[in-house]
């Protein structure tokens, strides 16, 4: 019976193998067909037919051949691979998740990112830490002061700063060795213990010998020491000490014990010996052997002590148990415990001893350990914790270090200290969580940095090998898109920093991708190239969906500078693109046609008279009904007959950037040019405006405008539609865009509400022709019969922000008025601004510069009422993000981060509130967005972020220059036409650094008051009376009418004025 069963099983397995081989053959034919199809598509030879294989067909066929064991994400990755590179090597096992390794790639468990400490970057510190034939016995980290305290056997105590530079050091003259040290947080002193004495060192004293106190004699030999900071005992430090008889001693000290308060003024160098009988030392026997370590764990409000005793190996309890003799919590370990540590994140205690095992304990369960870690071949002498990464580093007697992961209970790294002399033990070790370094002590101090700290601070961040052309954010999927000048397209996960996929030569071989945009729902991606071609991709799979083929004209004329998604559905795709020639086009495609086509073109330029910066456009009602985005317009009449006009025409513009705002009540397109011209197309009011800010301080003979590098529409957050349209850098979608032609009356309704305001604004400065007047009157009459705009749209009008080559940001109204001029605060000279962005609620405005700086302003109060001069724009933060030009940036609100891209080839991640560097896309390790404990900087950035305080605090005691004295002696036509209400935000940084406050010199009346007998000094001091309060008199002085001077105190003014009056008398 069993033989027949075996035969049946063998026959079934043979059939399964035969079926699988047949499936592999059919799968190979399917792959060959797809590869042939993709190659023809690249060469432009492929003609779409019924036999075309797309991703859906490929997935269905693969599942039919191999069954449900095939996972969709593996099939998608395989299809993306052959789509992007048809010549790539493929294997059938890849659809099951087993991808082949190319170019000799190393296995994952041997890769560099799994190395925790980079031992090759070890640093050593020798003098003056130890004497000759001396060694370190204890190393302690003081987190709140960022100090490191060390002690050596022969009595050298040293304090280091966070850069491991010596702050103070002393040599204690004592015959016994120092066994340990710690820092007294309340007394600001260092405590150390020897066999029979307690040493307290006041490191703030003056002199080489130092000011220290020795408490002796002690009953037992002290082996270890630590301090316990109890929150309800201010001004008092608790010192815990373990001795060779198994006792744990508690000593409470204050400044009165050492007379520190009486000697604060002297601070002379001295040595004082104090009798231990004058101190109340409490001790309790907790172990039957030497107390090797004693520590206070603040997270548990408990102290811990360990011993080689197998019964009372480890004790963990409240510090009060030393005084009341109640039972304590004991942990028993065979052969005792030599060292222990506590991890707050993992909530475990780790112990190690002579049995070579690490045991993990729950703090409140002492019956048995929760886990064991084996790997050491010698006794364990020290254990420390990397709290941030939940790692434990253990050190054995053979000077072998092992790094353990408490989350997976696995061994991460093993390394050995091979440079220290034989016979010299490494007894001290501490982990610096702030700097991410492991500090060990023997005859020298060794510092081992974490691998990712070296990668973050010494390796140049590289996301792409070449400069970045495009940075775009998919808010729906929390993924970012980057494209470099080599046309390598990469998609990254924002929260982890891991790469999801990449596409090479997206538009063909040697065709540079210059721009890209992601539609609002995140399903589609559009890219534009230098040859004028446009492609639409499925963002999830990376599959090409539609294409705008190459035209027959010159590539340079049709090179695309920027594109914006207007609409994206399965049935329709609409894009607005800007060409290098200055033309703006709408490109559309539907579900039937594979190829995109141009459906709308905006005129390249409009001729403006310098005396008339506004032109009214004629609309074609028939074409307006056919197009759902922007109407076809007719340019103004030919102005060639006016060529003899003395004023001449505005020079032609070369467009560099544009932005779109398509919300209810507003249909705007604005462009910025290299010569500083800003063109604003308003399709609601049927007008086109020319705006330009002349650089009055220019040294050129003819004042010129500064070039525009970026433009952006700002809408108040109260307008709910802005939450969608604010994504104009990547997508523009609103309810108006999807509206049908039935909304035509409502569309025309808002034309003339804006026209009324325009007519009032330019009534005195423009001459409107009869035809234009008729056009405007027709729409005014039409608007009276229609409903009004919503209240929030009427109240909050859009603001246009433009970033310029001179380093300024100008804020304009849609009527063409300059509202605000912003000059970023910086200790450097003004540099060109290259990119601007806002958060989704338009509360913050960010800008990037040509030298890699990032600036951040708060604009929420300004957008409430732009006409109110009291609503200021406050700069809050600035930092250096790159060493080269910033090409784009965006603000991500959910994680509160800023992403910047530069021509240096890196895309970096920063915390939005403090400018803290979080990493770069392409780094080996995962992002940790919540951890801000370590302030690190990339290797090419030297300046730390600068948080700008309020003006009155930050600019205190700094004077402002007189603007009238620094006006240009020449008066140009643009200066005379300058709006009076323009508020300029400048810091005049050079004058503030040079000028000093000038006190008002006003005549003062002096009277004598008080009794002369009362005091020999104060009785004769004159008291001066000001006619007005000091602050009021200062503020009324026009030279002092500055906000930052309002914080000068009245006391300072009175004192200095009285001194001047005495000199006059």
């Amino acid at each position: 019976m069993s033989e027949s069963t075996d035969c049946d099983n063998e026959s079934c397995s043979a059939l399964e193998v035969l079926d699988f081989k047949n499936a592999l053959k059919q799968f190979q034919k399917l792959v060959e067909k797809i590869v042939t199809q993709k190659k023809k598509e690249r060469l432009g030879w492929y003609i779409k037919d019924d036999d075309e294989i797309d991703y859906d067909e490929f997935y269905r066929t693969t599942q039919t051949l191999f069954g449900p064991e095939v996972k969709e994400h593996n099939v998608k990755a395989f299809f993306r691979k052959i789509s992007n590179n048809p010549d790539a090597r493929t294997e059938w096992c890849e659809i099951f998740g087993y991808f082949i390794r190319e170019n000799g790639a190393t296995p994952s468990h041997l890769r560099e990112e799994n190395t925790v400490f980079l031992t090759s970057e070890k640093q050593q510190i020798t003098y003056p830490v130890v004497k000759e034939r001396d060694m370190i016995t204890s190393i302690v980290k003081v987190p709140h002061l960022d100090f490191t305290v060390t002690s050596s056997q022969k009595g050298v105590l040293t304090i280091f700063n966070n850069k491991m530079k010596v702050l103070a050091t002393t040599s204690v003259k004592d015959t016994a060795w120092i066994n340990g040290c710690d820092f007294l947080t309340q007394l600001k002193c260092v405590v150390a213990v020897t066999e029979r004495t307690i040493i307290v060192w006041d490191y703030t004293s003056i002199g080489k010998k130092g000011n220290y106190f020795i408490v002796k004699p002690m009953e037992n030999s002290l082996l270890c020491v630590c301090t316990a900071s109890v929150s309800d005992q201010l001004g008092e430090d608790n010192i815990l000490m373990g001795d060779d008889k198994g006792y744990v001693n508690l000593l409470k000290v204050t400044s009165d014990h050492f007379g520190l308060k009486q000697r604060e003024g002297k601070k002379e160098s001295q040595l004082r010996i104090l009798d231990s009988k004058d101190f109340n030392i409490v001790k309790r026997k907790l172990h039957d052997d030497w107390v090797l370590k004693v520590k206070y764990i603040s997270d548990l409000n408990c102290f811990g002590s360990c011993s080689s005793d197998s019964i009372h190996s480890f004790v963990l309890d409240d510090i009060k148990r030393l005084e009341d003799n109640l039972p304590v919590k004991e942990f028993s370990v065979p052969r005792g415990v030599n060292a222990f540590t506590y991890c707050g994140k993992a909530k475990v205690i780790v112990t190690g001893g002579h049995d070579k095992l690490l045991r993990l304990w729950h703090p409140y369960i002492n019956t048995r350990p929760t886990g064991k870690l084996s790997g050491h071949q010698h006794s364990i002498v020290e254990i420390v914790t990397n709290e941030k990464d939940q790692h434990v580093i253990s050190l054995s007697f053979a000077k072998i270090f092992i790094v353990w992961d408490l989350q997976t209970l696995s061994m991460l790294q093993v390394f050995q200290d091979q440079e220290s002399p034989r016979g010299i033990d490494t007894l001290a070790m501490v982990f610096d969580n702030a700097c991410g370094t492991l500090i060990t002590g023997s005859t020298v101090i060794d510092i081992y940095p974490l691998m990712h700290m070296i990668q973050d601070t010494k390796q140049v961040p590289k996301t792409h090998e070449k400069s970045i052309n495009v940075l775009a954010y998919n808010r729906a999927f929390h993924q970012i898109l980057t494209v470099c000048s080599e046309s390598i397209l990469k998609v990254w996960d924002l929260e982890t920093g891991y790469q999801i996929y990449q596409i090479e030569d997206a538009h063909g071989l040697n065709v540079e991708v210059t721009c890209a945009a992601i539609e609002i729902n995140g399903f589609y991606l559009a890219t534009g190239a230098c040859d004028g071609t446009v492609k639409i991709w499925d963002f999830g799979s990376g599959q090409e969906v539609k294409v705008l083929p190459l035209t027959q004209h010159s590539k340079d004329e049709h090179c695309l500078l920027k594109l914006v998604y207007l609409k994206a559905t399965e049935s329709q795709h609409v894009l607005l693109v800007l060409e290098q020639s200055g033309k703006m086009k709408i490109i559309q495609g539907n579900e039937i046609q594979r190829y995109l086509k141009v459906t709308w073109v905006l005129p390249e330029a409009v001729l403006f008279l310098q005396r008339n910066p506004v032109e009214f456009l004629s609309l074609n009602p028939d074409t307006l009904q056919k197009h759902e985005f922007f109407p076809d317009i007719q340019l103004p009449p030919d102005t060639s007959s006016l060529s003899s006009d003395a004023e001449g025409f505005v020079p032609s513009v070369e467009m560099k950037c544009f932005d779109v705002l398509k919300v209810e009540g507003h249909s705007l397109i604005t462009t910025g040019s290299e010569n500083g011209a800003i063109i604003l197309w308003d399709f609601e009011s049927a007008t086109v405006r020319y705006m330009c800010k002349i650089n009055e301080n220019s040294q050129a003979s003819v004042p010129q405008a500064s070039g525009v590098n970026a433009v952006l529409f700002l809408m108040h957050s109260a307008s709910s539609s802005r939450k969608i349209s604010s994504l104009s850098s990547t997508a523009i979608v609103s309810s108006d865009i999807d509206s049908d032609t039935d909304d035509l009356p409502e569309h025309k309704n808002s034309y003339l509400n804006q026209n009324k305001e325009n007519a009032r604004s330019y009534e005195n400065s423009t001459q409107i022709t009869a035809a234009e007047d008729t056009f405007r009157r027709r729409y005014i009459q039409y608007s009276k019969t229609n409903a009004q705009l919503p209240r929030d749209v009427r109240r909050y009008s859009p603001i246009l922000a433009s970033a310029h080559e001179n380093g300024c940001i100008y804020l304009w109204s849609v009527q063409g008025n300059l509202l605000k001029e912003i000059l970023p605060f910086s200790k450097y000279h003004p540099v060109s601004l290259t990119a601007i962005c806002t958060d989704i609620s338009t509360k913050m405005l960010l800008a990037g510069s040509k030298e890699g700086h990032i600036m951040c302003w708060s604009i929420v109060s300004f957008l409430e009422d732009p006409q109110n001069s009291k609503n200021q724009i406050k700069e809050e933060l600035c930092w250096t993000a790159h060493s080269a030009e910033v090409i784009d940036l965006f603000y991500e609100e959910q994680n509160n981060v800023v992403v910047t891209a530069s021509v240096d080839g890196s895309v970096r991640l920063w915390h939005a509130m403090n400018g803290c560097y979080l990493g770069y896309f392409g780094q080996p390790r995962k992002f940790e967005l919540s951890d801000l404990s370590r302030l690190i900087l990339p290797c090419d950035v030297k300046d730390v972020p600068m948080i700008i305080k309020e003006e009155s605090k930050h600019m205190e005691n700094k004077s402002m220059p007189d603007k009238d004295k620094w006006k240009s002696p020449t008066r140009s036509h643009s200066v005379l036409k300058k709006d009076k209400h323009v508020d300029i935000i400048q810091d005049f940084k050079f004058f503030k650094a040079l000028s000093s406050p000038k006190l008002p010199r006003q005549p003062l009346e002096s009277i004598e008051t008080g009794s002369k007998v009362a005091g020999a000094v104060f009785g004769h001091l004159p008291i001066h009376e000001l006619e007005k309060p000091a602050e009021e008199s200062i503020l009324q002085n026009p030279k002092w009418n500055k906000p930052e001077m309002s914080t000068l105190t009245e006391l300072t003014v009175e004192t200095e004025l009285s001194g001047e009056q005495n000199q006059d008398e």
Side-chain angles (χ1 to χ4, degrees):
M1 183 69 181
S2 59
E3 294 179 358
S4 61
T5 305
D6 294 339
C7 294
D8 293 340
N9 293 335
E10 291 178 2
S11 60
C12 290
S13 60
L15 291 175
E16 290 176 358
V17 171
L18 184 60
D19 292 340
F20 186 75
K21 288 184 177 180
N22 293 332
L24 284 180
K25 291 181 180 180
Q26 297 182 31
F27 178 75
Q28 188 65 31
K29 292 180 180 179
L30 178 66
V31 172
E32 291 175 357
K33 186 175 181 181
I34 294 177
V35 169
T36 304
Q37 174 183 316
K38 295 300 179 183
K39 288 182 178 180
K40 289 183 178 180
E41 287 180 1
R42 290 194 170 224
L43 297 174
W45 298 344
Y46 182 74
I47 300 176
K48 186 175 180 180
D49 54 14
D50 297 337
D51 296 334
E52 181 185 9
I53 302 176
D54 56 5
Y55 169 73
D56 295 332
E57 179 65 24
F58 178 75
Y59 178 66
R60 284 194 299 268
T61 307
T62 305
Q63 269 210 329
T64 304
L65 293 174
F66 298 106
E69 291 81 5
V70 177
K71 304 301 180 183
E72 183 179 2
H73 64 275
N74 293 327
V75 178
K76 184 180 293 185
F78 184 88
F79 186 81
R80 186 186 297 126
K81 179 179 179 179
I82 59 178
S83 297
N84 298 336
N85 187 8
D87 296 325
R89 177 190 169 195
T90 58
E91 294 289 345
W92 62 267
C93 59
E94 296 184 34
I95 62 171
F96 294 96
Y98 299 96
F99 288 86
I100 60 175
R101 202 165 62 234
E102 297 181 357
N103 300 327
T106 57
S108 61
H109 64 280
L110 296 178
R111 289 177 187 169
E112 189 181 54
E113 56 262 35
N114 287 331
T115 302
V116 182
F117 291 100
L118 192 60
T119 56
S120 60
E121 295 291 333
K122 181 182 71 172
Q123 301 178 3
Q124 282 191 349
I125 300 175
T126 54
Y127 180 83
V129 179
V130 293
K131 298 179 179 180
E132 186 179 357
R133 297 181 181 178
D134 196 2
M135 64 180 301
I136 299 294
T137 58
S138 179
I139 303 177
V140 178
K141 185 68 183 178
V142 186
H144 66 285
L145 295 176
D146 210 1
F147 286 172
T148 302
V149 183
T150 65
S151 65
S152 71
Q153 282 183 343
K154 293 187 178 182
V156 178
L157 299 176
T158 311
I159 298 180
F160 299 87
N161 62 6
N162 57 352
K163 303 293 185 182
M164 292 306 290
K165 302 296 183 182
V166 177
L167 292 179
T169 183
T170 187
S171 179
V172 180
K173 295 181 179 180
D174 198 301
T175 57
W177 285 359
I178 291 181
N179 293 323
C181 68
D182 207 340
F183 190 82
L184 301 175
T185 57
Q186 299 293 331
L187 300 184
K188 303 294 187 297
C189 296
V190 177
V191 59
V193 295
T194 65
E195 292 182 0
R196 299 291 178 179
T197 61
I198 302 173
I199 302 170
V200 177
W201 172 42
D202 181 13
Y203 69 94
T204 59
S205 60
I206 303 173
K208 295 183 179 179
K209 294 183 179 180
N211 183 17
Y212 55 91
F213 308 87
I214 297 179
V215 181
K216 66 180 184 179
M218 301 300 294
E219 184 177 355
N220 301 322
S221 177
L222 301 179
L223 302 178
C224 54
V225 64
C226 78
T227 59
S229 300
V230 183
S231 59
D232 58 351
Q233 297 178 357
L234 299 177
E236 181 182 64
D237 279 307
N238 298 321
I239 303 175
L240 295 173
M241 299 165 288
D243 59 33
D244 59 346
K245 301 298 182 181
Y247 287 91
V248 175
N249 303 264
L250 172 62
L251 171 62
K252 297 183 179 181
V253 295
T254 62
S255 58
D256 296 333
H257 288 99
F258 307 104
L260 296 177
K261 290 185 177 180
Q262 291 80 1
R263 303 182 182 276
E264 283 182 357
K266 299 180 181 180
K267 293 290 183 182
E268 73 276 7
S269 302
Q270 65 174 348
L271 168 62
R272 292 186 60 192
I273 299 177
L274 305 178
D275 191 352
S276 61
K277 296 179 181 179
D278 297 334
F279 294 85
N280 182 21
I281 301 177
V282 179
K283 64 179 182 178
R284 180 177 177 181
K285 186 175 179 63
L286 298 177
H287 306 276
D288 294 334
D289 205 339
W290 289 6
V291 179
L292 301 177
K293 293 283 190 303
V294 60
K295 295 180 182 179
Y296 183 77
I297 304 173
S298 56
D299 292 345
L300 302 176
N301 293 324
C302 296
F303 79 95
S305 62
C306 65
S307 171
S308 299
D309 182 8
S310 299
I311 305 300
H312 313 288
S313 307
F314 176 61
V315 173
L316 180 68
D317 217 317
D318 194 283
I319 198 173
K320 296 178 181 179
R321 300 291 82 81
L322 297 176
E323 300 174 311
D324 54 22
N325 291 324
L326 293 177
V328 294
K329 189 182 301 179
E330 297 178 340
F331 299 75
S332 299
V333 177
R335 303 182 65 185
V337 173
N338 293 340
F340 66 94
T341 187
Y342 175 73
C343 181
K345 281 189 176 181
K347 292 183 173 56
V348 296
I349 292 175
V350 184
T351 62
H354 291 295
D355 63 352
K356 311 167 190 175
L357 295 177
L358 290 178
R359 288 176 172 84
L360 280 61
W361 304 84
H362 191 280
Y364 303 108
I365 301 175
N366 60 346
T367 55
R368 59 183 179 86
T370 59
K372 295 181 181 180
L373 300 175
S374 62
H376 282 288
Q377 301 298 323
H378 301 84
S379 299
I380 298 171
V381 296
E382 187 60 284
I383 309 172
V384 294
T385 305
N386 177 356
E387 188 73 31
K388 176 177 173 291
D389 300 322
Q390 298 187 40
H391 293 170
V392 165
I393 303 100
S394 58
L395 170 64
S396 71
F397 186 76
K399 296 178 288 187
I400 295 178
F401 300 85
I402 299 182
V403 184
W404 311 85
D405 188 352
L406 292 180
Q407 300 177 5
T408 61
L409 301 182
S410 60
M411 183 188 301
L412 299 179
Q413 184 183 8
V414 180
F415 62 96
Q416 184 177 9
D417 182 10
Q418 298 179 349
E419 296 184 4
S420 61
R422 291 186 177 181
I424 302 298
D425 299 333
T426 302
L427 300 177
M429 182 170 64
V430 69
F431 185 81
D432 187 350
N433 283 282
C435 299
T437 55
L438 178 67
I439 306 174
T440 65
S442 56
T443 56
V444 294
I445 290 181
D446 293 326
I447 303 175
Y448 298 91
L450 289 174
M451 167 64 76
H452 67 79
M453 297 294 291
I454 295 297
Q455 291 172 342
D456 292 340
T457 58
K458 293 189 177 182
Q459 294 182 1
V460 179
K462 277 292 183 182
T463 306
H464 290 264
E465 293 299 325
K466 299 296 182 180
S467 62
I468 306 293
N469 284 354
V470 178
L471 172 67
Y473 181 46
N474 189 332
R475 293 183 181 270
F477 297 156
H478 301 286
Q479 297 173 358
I480 75 166
L481 166 74
T482 59
V483 184
C484 69
S485 58
E486 285 186 330
S487 298
I488 298 178
L489 184 151
K490 296 183 179 181
V491 176
W492 311 83
D493 182 74
L494 176 67
E495 298 180 353
T496 62
Y498 293 153
Q499 180 178 333
I500 300 175
Y501 67 87
Q502 76 176 36
I503 301 175
E504 299 180 2
D505 298 327
H507 284 247
L509 190 62
N510 297 327
V511 179
E512 182 179 359
V513 178
T514 55
C515 55
I518 303 171
E519 59 96 6
I520 190 66
N521 296 316
F523 296 118
Y524 295 100
L525 160 70
T527 57
C530 61
D531 58 357
T533 57
V534 176
K535 288 188 178 183
I536 296 177
W537 312 77
D538 181 276
F539 190 87
S541 64
Q543 182 182 359
E544 183 181 313
V545 178
K546 295 184 181 300
V547 62
L548 177 68
L550 181 66
T551 60
Q552 301 297 326
H553 303 283
S554 173
K555 294 184 179 180
D556 295 336
E557 294 181 1
H558 294 274
C559 177
L560 300 182
L561 301 180
K562 184 178 179 179
L563 61 85
V564 167
Y565 241 116
L566 295 179
K567 184 177 181 180
T569 62
E570 293 183 358
S571 59
Q572 187 180 21
H573 293 269
V574 184
L575 302 168
L576 180 63
V577 301
L578 171 65
E579 294 182 350
Q580 191 172 4
S581 61
K583 288 184 179 181
M584 296 191 66
K585 302 177 180 179
I586 287 183
I587 299 174
Q588 287 186 272
N590 53 37
E591 59 181 346
I592 301 176
Q593 299 176 346
R594 171 175 170 77
Y595 296 104
L596 302 170
K597 61 180 180 179
V598 178
T599 60
W600 182 85
V601 179
L602 188 68
E604 298 180 42
V606 177
L607 290 177
F608 294 94
L609 289 172
Q610 290 186 0
R611 59 183 173 82
N612 183 20
V614 181
E615 294 289 347
F616 288 88
L617 304 174
S618 300
L619 306 183
N620 189 336
D622 296 334
T623 56
L624 177 63
Q625 295 180 5
K626 295 179 182 178
H627 210 286
E628 58 181 316
F629 296 100
F630 301 105
D632 287 340
I633 59 175
Q634 298 177 2
L635 291 176
D638 186 14
T639 55
S640 58
S641 60
L642 304 175
S643 59
S644 60
D645 194 301
E647 297 184 16
F649 293 96
V650 172
S652 60
V653 297
E654 296 179 6
M655 296 182 188
K656 295 180 64 177
C657 54
F658 78 94
D659 195 21
V660 186
L661 181 64
K662 184 73 174 173
V663 296
E664 186 176 4
H666 299 285
S667 181
L668 305 171
I669 296 179
T670 185
T671 60
S673 64
E674 190 173 355
N675 62 0
I678 300 174
I679 308 298
L680 179 63
W681 302 81
D682 190 343
F683 297 98
E684 293 285 333
S685 60
T687 59
V688 56
R689 280 183 178 80
Y690 171 86
M691 299 178 292
C692 186
K693 176 66 171 65
I694 303 298
N695 188 6
E696 302 168 12
N697 299 325
S698 176
Q699 301 297 328
S701 57
V702 179
Q704 298 179 353
S706 178
V708 183
N709 291 330
V711 289
L712 181 67
F713 283 109
L714 309 177
M715 282 289 289
H716 192 275
S717 58
S719 301
S720 59
S721 337
R722 174 60 185 164
K723 293 184 179 180
I724 297 178
S725 62
S726 64
L727 309 177
S728 59
S729 62
T730 56
I732 298 291
V733 179
S734 68
S735 57
D736 292 343
I737 293 178
D738 296 329
S739 60
D740 295 328
T741 55
D742 297 335
D743 297 332
L744 179 61
E746 187 174 338
H747 177 75
K748 288 186 177 180
N749 157 39
S750 56
Y751 279 25
L752 283 284
N753 290 328
Q754 292 288 335
N755 249 334
K756 291 179 183 179
E757 190 173 353
N758 297 336
R760 288 193 295 266
S761 302
Y762 296 95
E763 183 176 1
N764 298 326
S765 60
T766 59
Q767 298 179 358
I768 304 173
T769 61
E772 294 167 349
D773 193 28
T774 304
F775 177 84
R776 184 178 57 190
R777 193 182 304 112
R778 182 177 73 244
Y779 279 101
I780 292 177
Q781 294 173 355
Y782 183 85
S783 64
K784 292 180 180 179
T785 62
N786 289 275
Q788 298 296 321
L789 291 175
R791 183 177 302 174
D792 59 341
V793 176
R794 295 199 312 270
R795 177 183 175 186
Y796 301 113
S797 180
I799 301 296
L800 175 61
S802 59
H804 293 254
E805 286 282 345
N806 62 358
C808 291
I809 294 179
Y810 300 127
L811 301 181
W812 311 79
S813 67
V814 292
Q815 289 77 33
N817 299 322
L818 180 60
L819 302 176
K820 195 77 75 173
E821 179 180 344
I822 307 174
L823 180 64
F825 177 87
S826 175
K827 62 181 179 181
Y828 309 103
H829 61 279
V831 295
S832 171
L833 299 181
T834 55
I836 53 176
C837 75
T838 65
D839 58 334
I840 196 170
S841 55
T842 326
K843 294 181 180 179
M844 306 300 296
L845 176 65
L846 289 89
S849 73
K850 196 170 185 177
E851 293 187 356
H853 307 305
I854 305 295
M855 289 73 66
C856 180
W857 295 269
S858 174
I859 59 174
V860 60
S861 61
F862 171 77
L863 294 182
E864 288 283 346
D865 186 6
Q867 303 296 335
N868 189 354
S869 60
K870 295 182 179 180
N871 294 339
Q872 297 294 326
I873 295 178
K874 177 192 171 190
E875 186 173 359
E876 296 187 344
L877 180 66
C878 63
W879 73 91
T880 303
H882 300 266
S883 59
E885 177 184 344
V886 176
I887 61 104
D888 206 352
L889 74 164
F890 69 83
Y891 187 110
E892 208 280 331
E893 298 78 11
Q894 183 173 345
N895 295 294
N896 204 16
V897 295
V898 175
V899 179
T900 61
S902 171
V903 296
D904 60 10
S906 67
V907 179
R908 306 180 185 182
L909 193 67
W910 310 84
H911 194 270
M913 292 295 101
N914 54 18
C916 179
Y917 177 61
L918 300 176
Y920 67 94
F921 290 90
Q923 69 181 21
R925 65 183 180 90
K926 177 183 176 181
F927 286 153
E928 296 177 1
L929 305 182
S930 60
D931 180 69
L932 302 176
S933 59
R934 298 170 185 167
L935 178 59
I936 58 177
L937 293 173
C939 64
D940 56 349
V941 174
K942 304 301 180 184
D943 299 330
V944 298
M946 180 171 56
I947 299 177
I948 302 174
K949 301 179 182 179
E950 297 179 4
E951 275 189 317
S952 59
K953 297 180 181 178
H954 187 71
M955 302 298 182
E956 189 174 356
N957 294 337
K958 294 185 180 180
S959 62
M960 298 286 285
D962 190 351
K963 297 180 182 179
D964 296 333
K965 294 181 180 180
W966 294 93
K967 284 185 177 179
S968 175
T970 60
R971 297 176 64 86
S972 62
H973 177 69
S974 61
V975 175
L976 297 175
K977 294 181 64 177
K978 183 178 178 181
D979 296 334
K980 296 182 179 180
H981 65 277
V982 174
D983 186 13
I984 301 177
I985 298 178
Q986 294 179 343
D987 61 351
F988 295 94
K989 48 187 172 298
F990 301 110
F991 297 103
K992 286 183 177 179
L994 298 175
S995 301
S996 59
K998 298 180 180 180
L999 297 173
R1001 300 180 180 272
Q1002 298 180 355
L1004 304 176
E1005 295 182 1
S1006 175
I1007 61 173
E1008 292 187 1
T1009 182
S1011 174
K1012 296 182 179 180
V1013 183
V1017 178
F1018 296 97
H1020 289 80
L1021 288 177
I1023 300 178
H1024 301 279
E1025 267 187 15
L1026 293 173
E1027 296 179 356
K1028 297 181 180 180
E1031 293 183 359
E1032 184 179 352
S1033 63
I1034 291 175
L1035 293 176
Q1036 287 186 357
N1037 192 333
K1039 294 183 180 180
W1040 284 72
N1041 194 13
K1042 306 298 176 187
E1044 56 271 21
M1045 300 306 300
S1046 61
T1047 57
L1048 290 173
T1049 60
E1050 186 175 354
L1051 177 61
T1052 305
V1053 176
E1054 280 195 27
T1055 304
E1056 298 190 21
L1057 290 179
S1058 61
E1060 295 172 3
Q1061 184 67 19
N1062 289 335
Q1063 292 178 1
D1064 296 340
E1065 290 178 0

